[in-house]
Amino acid sequence: MLIDWFTIAAQVLNFLILVWLMKRFLYKPILDAIDAREERITRELADADAKKAEAQKESAAFERKNQEFDQQRNALLSQATEEVKVERQRLLDEVLQAAEALRAKRQEALVREQQTLNDEITRRTRKEVFAITRKTLTDLAGASLEERISEVFRRRLRELDAEAKGRFAKILNTSSAPVLVRSAFELPAEQRAAIHQALNETFAAEIDVCFEIAPDLISGIELTANGRRIAWSIADYLTSLEESIGELLQGPAKPKTKPEVDPATQAEPKPKPGTQPVAAKETQ
Amino acid sequence: MNLSPDEIIFWQCGFFKLNATIVFTWGLMLVMAVGSLLITRNISIGLARSRWQNLLEIVATLTEKQIEEVGLGHPRKYLPFLGTLFLFVAMAALFTVFPGYEPPTGSLSTTAALALCVFVAVPLFGIIERGFGNYLKSYVQPTFIMLPFNIISELSRTLALAVRLFGNMMSGAMIIGILLTITPFIFPVVMKALGLLTGMVQAYIFFILSTVYIAAATRVNTSKSEVDPIEP
């Protein structure tokens, strides 16, 4: 008999036990392990995908930022270049202007300095010339000169024009104070008398005269009455000349046209036609 | 010369007996259980794992894939039963390399017991999946006339399962026995290798047929004739 019923039953039981054993010790742990691994791999893949997506996003963002940065940089660079160009031009202009201004200032300073120097030279020269002149004339002044001066004064007095004579006479008449005659040196009695006489003759009146010595006249005679004056003196000549030269130098600085100071010609002043009638000038 | 390991009886007490079939089955069970226990004891869920674990994973996943390909929706549910069926038959054939070993599947009692298990499992899975009424209805499909034929089909295929496996396994052992008397050298080794191959093929056939029967029984709204396999 090929079939044994007890064996069949035993084998069925054995097989069922084996199924349980296999399920318990083989399939369940193996399948659980496979599931766990698959889940882990899936999770890791998802994680990797997420990271990849994030990386791509980051990369895109970085790329975008890079491009933006490039554009910004280029814009800034061009702007800076433009600004530098403008600034350079501005600075150049400024420097040119400053240089021009400095040049002008220096030129002006030079001119001013030259003018000051010229002025100084002129002033000193004038001063020296007048000093020399004064010294010379003072040295020359003496009794004979005084006499000659007195003579000249008297002649001038007589030669006064009618109008001046009238004006002076009027003053002499109205004033009670004596006429003051100033001279650089003590006038001798005869000269005093001559002058007195000349005055009386000129104004046709008895004039009270008072004589005074004034060394600052250098050489000459001055007649003063009630603020009016009739004089002839070298000091007057010199003052007139000084004023004339002073007026000439007061004008605009013309270094080239400015006359060179020649002490030789200045030592002896020659009264110009315009300044000459000082001899018997009438001042108020 | 024994035709079946049933005939080798180690111990007998009335109806109870301890023959070679049972003893070798126990041996196989022990080896399989202890082997599984040892391999899965230090199971790894990481990418690095032992070779034995790899082997078991390959077997488990391949079996699962096969069950799915046949048409069962949730292979995990059927894997312990069908997988064990395959593994038991395959191990029984594989162990023939050991001298003195008699494959339990070479006994008609064992194959009948396995066929009986399939015979019970098919309606059981069918009822669980489709419900009792629906499963019974499949016997009168497409017409009521088909009922006896369907019942005969159920019985005959169970018988065919048992006899096919028994015949193949027993013939392998028989051929070796006969050849040993005629050409004791070299040729039996070739036949033994061939026997191993045959045993593997039979394990696969037994497994796949059982899967197909269960798939046919659990398939909803499908004509039985459409999924009825062509038996080898």
Side-chain angles (χ1 to χ4, degrees):
Chain A
M1 183 65 182
L2 288 174
I3 291 181
D4 178 44
W5 290 107
F6 172 76
T7 311
I8 289 175
Q11 288 297 73
V12 166
L13 189 67
N14 282 340
F15 180 71
L16 291 176
I17 291 166
L18 186 65
V19 167
W20 182 82
L21 284 172
M22 288 293 102
K23 188 181 177 183
R24 170 74 180 77
F25 294 118
L26 178 69
Y27 293 113
K28 195 173 181 299
I30 288 289
L31 290 174
D32 283 353
I34 289 170
D35 285 348
R37 189 181 301 119
E38 277 178 355
E39 193 186 342
R40 186 175 149 185
I41 288 168
T42 310
R43 203 169 54 238
E44 279 175 0
L45 280 174
D47 197 33
D49 280 348
K51 275 184 181 163
K52 196 178 166 188
E54 198 181 342
Q56 276 176 343
K57 212 167 84 182
E58 290 279 321
S59 169
F62 176 74
E63 191 71 28
R64 200 180 63 244
K65 274 184 187 172
N66 221 0
Q67 273 183 349
E68 276 176 8
F69 175 73
D70 277 353
Q71 284 176 355
Q72 209 172 355
R73 195 191 57 182
N74 287 338
L76 278 174
L77 200 65
S78 58
Q79 193 186 345
T81 312
E82 196 62 35
E83 273 175 8
V84 162
K85 210 184 275 177
V86 170
E87 184 66 14
R88 181 173 162 275
Q89 191 58 43
R90 192 184 68 75
L91 285 173
L92 263 177
D93 289 351
E94 218 168 65
V95 164
L96 278 173
Q97 275 178 3
E100 187 64 32
L102 196 65
R103 199 176 62 80
K105 206 170 163 186
R106 287 196 64 184
Q107 196 168 8
E108 198 184 328
L110 268 174
V111 167
R112 205 162 49 237
E113 199 179 339
Q114 194 175 7
Q115 194 181 344
T116 311
L117 194 66
N118 282 339
D119 285 355
E120 181 64 22
I121 290 166
T122 309
R123 198 178 59 77
R124 280 203 182 178
T125 309
R126 199 173 60 189
K127 208 171 160 186
E128 287 299 316
V129 163
F130 285 116
I132 290 162
T133 310
R134 273 198 178 84
K135 183 88 171 77
T136 312
L137 287 173
T138 309
D139 290 349
L140 285 174
S144 58
L145 185 66
E146 292 297 311
E147 192 181 337
R148 178 75 188 126
I149 286 166
S150 170
E151 208 173 305
V152 171
F153 179 71
R154 287 199 306 273
R155 198 178 69 233
R156 290 285 164 93
L157 202 63
R158 285 190 196 102
E159 286 171 359
L160 268 175
D161 56 5
E163 195 187 343
K165 207 186 276 179
R167 272 204 309 273
F168 214 81
K170 205 175 170 183
I171 291 163
L172 289 172
N173 290 333
T174 55
S175 171
S176 57
V179 174
L180 185 67
V181 174
R182 297 167 78 220
S183 62
F185 299 98
E186 176 79 39
L187 286 170
E190 61 266 29
Q191 281 184 25
R192 285 186 186 186
I195 288 167
H196 198 180
Q197 194 186 347
L199 275 170
N200 287 344
E201 282 171 11
T202 306
F203 300 109
E206 186 59 35
I207 295 163
D208 195 8
V209 180
C210 174
F211 288 95
E212 200 181 281
I213 293 165
D216 58 330
L217 289 175
I218 302 171
S219 183
I221 298 173
E222 188 186 87
L223 187 140
T224 313
N226 202 19
R228 282 194 168 269
R229 197 168 68 111
I230 292 170
W232 186 96
S233 73
I234 288 168
D236 267 357
Y237 272 126
L238 290 173
T239 308
S240 173
L241 181 65
E242 209 170 338
E243 279 172 6
S244 165
I245 289 169
E247 276 171 18
L248 196 70
L249 295 173
Q250 283 300 313
K254 287 173 186 172
K256 280 187 180 175
T257 56
K258 210 166 223 181
E260 295 246 334
V261 179
D262 192 355
T265 53
Q266 291 289 318
E268 288 199 10
K270 286 178 183 174
K272 285 180 186 173
T275 56
Q276 193 169 6
V278 185
K281 87 174 167 187
E282 185 191 22
T283 52
Q284 277 195 317
Chain B
M1 171 144 190
N2 299 316
L3 203 60
S4 164
D6 285 4
E7 291 166 14
I8 307 165
I9 298 168
F10 299 111
W11 176 81
Q12 189 166 14
C13 179
F15 184 67
F16 298 97
K17 57 181 118 175
L18 199 62
N19 54 32
T21 306
I22 295 169
V23 170
F24 285 126
T25 301
W26 283 353
L28 276 175
M29 283 166 71
L30 189 70
V31 168
M32 286 167 75
V34 171
S36 299
L37 185 67
L38 287 174
I39 292 164
T40 58
R41 193 177 52 183
N42 295 318
I43 199 154
S44 152
I45 60 162
L47 293 175
R49 49 200 182 269
S50 68
R51 291 171 184 172
W52 288 106
Q53 189 187 334
N54 251 344
L55 177 73
L56 288 193
E57 281 186 14
I58 288 165
V59 169
T61 48
L62 275 178
T63 314
E64 196 182 352
K65 207 173 167 188
Q66 280 292 323
I67 294 167
E68 200 173 8
E69 277 178 5
V70 167
L72 282 168
H74 304 284
R76 292 270 170 107
K77 203 156 70 181
Y78 311 102
L79 185 64
F81 177 74
L82 293 170
T84 309
L85 209 58
F86 170 75
L87 274 183
F88 178 69
V89 178
M91 291 298 279
L94 197 66
F95 271 58
T96 52
V97 294
F98 295 111
Y101 168 82
E102 289 286 339
T105 45
S107 147
L108 191 57
S109 304
T110 308
T111 57
L114 294 179
L116 207 61
C117 286
V118 175
F119 179 75
V120 174
V122 168
L124 201 64
F125 282 123
I127 289 163
I128 288 168
E129 197 68 29
R130 300 167 65 181
F132 190 69
N134 277 336
Y135 176 72
L136 285 184
K137 248 189 237 172
S138 66
Y139 280 96
V140 292
Q141 294 288 340
T143 59
F144 185 75
I145 305 161
M146 293 302 285
L147 178 64
F149 298 103
N150 280 331
I151 292 168
I152 291 164
S153 165
E154 288 287 327
L155 292 171
S156 66
R157 74 188 185 193
T158 306
L159 186 66
L161 267 180
V163 173
R164 186 187 305 110
L165 182 60
F166 163 70
N168 276 290
M169 298 313 290
M170 184 270 286
S171 66
M174 287 296 284
I175 285 166
I176 300 294
I178 293 162
L179 279 175
L180 275 173
T181 57
I182 301 165
T183 53
F185 301 110
I186 300 169
F187 203 66
V189 177
V190 179
M191 288 312 292
K192 202 89 173 172
L194 195 65
L196 275 175
L197 182 67
T198 314
M200 287 296 141
V201 171
Q202 285 308 313
Y204 179 70
I205 289 167
F206 201 96
F207 155 74
I208 210 83
L209 281 176
S210 308
T211 313
V212 166
Y213 296 154
I214 291 168
T218 55
R219 186 161 291 183
V220 185
N221 296 329
T222 311
S223 169
K224 197 175 168 84
S225 58
E226 278 178 32
V227 291
D228 216 0
I230 301 156
E231 291 183 11

